[in-house]
Amino acid sequence: MVVHSTCIKSRRFTSAKEAIYMYEKMREAKIKITEVAMVGAISACAQLRDIRISNTLTDHLEEGCCDRTQIVSTALIHMHSKCGNIDLALREFSTMRYRDVYTYSAMIAAFAEHGKSQNAIDLFLNMQEEGLKPNQVTFIGVLNACGSSGHIEEGCRLFRIMTGVFGIEPLPDHYICIVDLLGKAGQLERAYDLIKQNATSSIATTWGSLLAACRLYGNVELGEIAAKHLFEIDPEDSGNYVLLANTYASNDKWERAQEVKKVISEKRIKKPSGYSSIQ
């Protein structure tokens, strides 16, 4: 029993489908489903975003196959969100007797993912009223919520609170959230300044967010800077070349756009599926 439960959660499984397969075998063999096995299966289902499997796992829990512990319920919130059912996620959250920072973080992320930004921000405030201290994951969720709703100053304020009040060291994901937030709002110089000030935390995704915003707002100068960094980090990622070409095209700089297209051809870089050279 221990071996089966550990296998479902173990990295020895190269895919979520294998974890689900092992869970089903445990059920067939009438092996007791432990908390570890259930959380492993729920997490695998979240990765697959499979509604049918999520309904099956929920039914099994309703039948009492495993104790509905706080850890299991938190995993369920994440699974329901990933499978597109925010109502089930909220119902699970609402019926829990005990909620910790991980539970709140999961629900905040779920709200953010489903465009319910104000709900995410309100819940973030509620958890503090309950005496819970947000962690790095909590802030990723609420910053994403601010980004999707255009709450620029609120997002920046929360970022400052995270570092100044709670003493949390920002992860690259936090910088990505803020750069994305500023970029969507057209505050490209501000986003660029943030990246420059935190160069050690700048990764491809951060520069990619800036480049995408430059394409949206037609800022060629900053787009070229972002692209240069991206080409150094990952010279084989054709999506970056396409974004730069589209940035040029949005400013009617067709010759430069064609030059980038030529680079893609000469380097024999495969364009990502669904992209055209100029969009």
Side-chain angles (χ1 to χ4, degrees):
M1 178 176 68
V2 174
V3 172
H4 282 81
S5 299
T6 304
C7 281
I8 290 178
K9 198 175 180 181
S10 172
R11 292 188 177 217
R12 280 182 290 168
F13 274 91
T14 56
S15 73
K17 289 183 178 180
E18 288 179 287
I20 295 298
Y21 174 78
M22 179 59 77
Y23 171 82
E24 291 171 345
K25 287 299 180 183
M26 288 180 68
R27 291 274 299 180
E28 290 174 7
K30 300 189 184 304
I31 297 172
K32 170 67 177 175
I33 302 298
T34 64
E35 178 190 80
V36 173
M38 180 53 75
V39 170
I42 291 172
S43 298
C45 179
Q47 291 179 47
L48 296 171
R49 298 174 187 255
D50 190 307
I51 297 174
R52 181 188 63 81
I53 296 175
S54 72
N55 290 336
T56 298
L57 293 174
T58 303
D59 289 342
H60 290 172
L61 278 167
E62 294 293 342
E63 294 165 2
C65 77
C66 171
D67 291 335
R68 212 182 191 103
T69 64
Q70 180 266 333
I71 295 174
V72 169
S73 288
T74 299
L76 278 173
I77 292 170
H78 179 66
M79 179 190 76
H80 288 315
S81 175
K82 291 298 181 183
C83 291
N85 200 323
I86 187 64
D87 292 331
L88 280 181
L90 181 56
R91 188 175 74 178
E92 188 67 31
F93 178 83
S94 300
T95 57
M96 292 176 67
R97 291 183 178 180
Y98 173 72
R99 307 181 190 108
D100 63 7
V101 63
Y102 303 105
T103 308
Y104 272 95
S105 297
M107 195 65 234
I108 289 169
F111 277 140
E113 187 174 18
H114 287 264
K116 296 181 178 293
S117 303
Q118 194 56 54
N119 296 80
I121 295 170
D122 291 343
L123 191 60
F124 175 77
L125 298 175
N126 290 344
M127 71 174 287
Q128 293 174 73
E129 292 173 0
E130 294 292 326
L132 292 172
K133 180 181 177 181
N135 61 18
Q136 291 175 319
V137 176
T138 316
F139 275 101
I140 290 173
V142 75
L143 289 175
N144 275 326
C146 290
S148 62
S149 60
H151 286 74
I152 305 166
E153 297 308 322
E154 178 66 5
C156 292
R157 186 184 71 84
L158 289 173
F159 185 81
R160 291 193 295 271
I161 288 175
M162 179 184 78
T163 57
V165 176
F166 293 101
I168 296 175
E169 188 70 25
L171 298 171
D173 283 345
H174 297 115
Y175 289 113
I176 291 169
C177 290
I178 295 297
V179 169
D180 187 56
L181 183 154
L182 293 171
K184 287 178 179 176
Q187 298 192 22
L188 306 183
E189 292 288 348
R190 197 172 168 188
Y192 178 48
D193 287 341
L194 180 68
I195 296 175
K196 286 193 299 183
Q197 292 166 12
N198 303 277
T200 56
S201 296
S202 299
I203 58 175
T205 311
T206 315
W207 288 111
S209 293
L210 180 60
L211 179 56
C214 289
R215 187 259 181 184
L216 180 65
Y217 288 95
N219 190 319
V220 172
E221 183 181 355
L222 277 183
E224 289 176 333
I225 293 172
K228 178 177 180 293
H229 286 279
L230 285 166
F231 297 157
E232 291 174 354
I233 295 170
D234 188 359
E236 300 303 316
D237 187 341
S238 61
N240 298 326
Y241 292 89
V242 172
L243 269 176
L244 179 60
N246 290 338
T247 303
Y248 286 136
S250 67
N251 277 263
D252 296 327
K253 297 183 181 296
W254 300 106
E255 288 186 9
R256 290 192 182 182
Q258 289 301 321
E259 287 173 5
V260 176
K261 182 180 177 182
K262 185 178 179 181
V263 170
I264 295 175
S265 178
E266 289 176 349
K267 287 179 173 287
R268 297 182 179 179
I269 301 172
K270 186 177 180 180
K271 291 196 292 290
S273 177
Y275 276 81
S276 62
S277 296
I278 306 296
Q279 293 183 325

